[in-house]
């Protein structure tokens, strides 16, 4: 399940027209946008960043995530 979630989050980032907030990424999944889901998506984003699958940028003090193109 973890690998599936990592792939899904990376696909969402790849399709995003601009860098995205973690909450917006979590909200793009079907079902309830719970605190647990947001936490899990945040963990996946950090994993993607640490492995080079995603990058971060700061805008107005908020961390946005994107896939290098």
């Amino acid at each position: 399940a973890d690998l599936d979630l990592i792939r899904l989050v990376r696909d969402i980032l790849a399709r995003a027209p601009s860098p995205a907030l973690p909450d917006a990424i979590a909200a793009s999944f079907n079902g309830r946008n719970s605190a647990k889901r947001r936490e899990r998506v945040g963990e996946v984003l950090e994993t993607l960043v640490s492995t080079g699958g995603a990058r971060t940028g700061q805008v107005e003090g908020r961390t946005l995530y994107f896939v290098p193109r």
Side-chain angles (χ1 to χ4, degrees), residues 7-18 20 28-29 67 69:
R7 283 189 203 102
L8 284 170
V9 169
R10 191 174 190 297
D11 288 348
I12 290 168
L13 282 177
R15 287 193 312 268
S18 61
S28 64
F29 288 94
V67 171
R69 303 197 193 278

Side-chain angles (χ1 to χ4, degrees), residues 3 5 11 13 15-16 19 21 24 26 28 33-34 36 46 50-51 54-56 61 63-64 69:
L3 284 176
L5 184 57
D11 288 348
L13 282 177
R15 287 193 312 268
L21 289 166
S28 64
N33 188 10
S34 65
K36 184 176 180 179
E46 289 306 315
S50 69
T51 60
R55 294 191 185 154
T56 62
T63 302
L64 301 170
R69 303 197 193 278

Side-chain angles (χ1 to χ4, degrees), residues 13 19-25 42 45-46 49 54-66:
L13 282 177
L21 289 166
D23 286 355
I25 296 163
L45 288 167
E46 289 306 315
V49 169
R55 294 191 185 154
T56 62
Q58 295 288 321
V59 175
E60 297 175 4
R62 299 184 304 174
T63 302
L64 301 170
Y65 293 82
F66 62 98

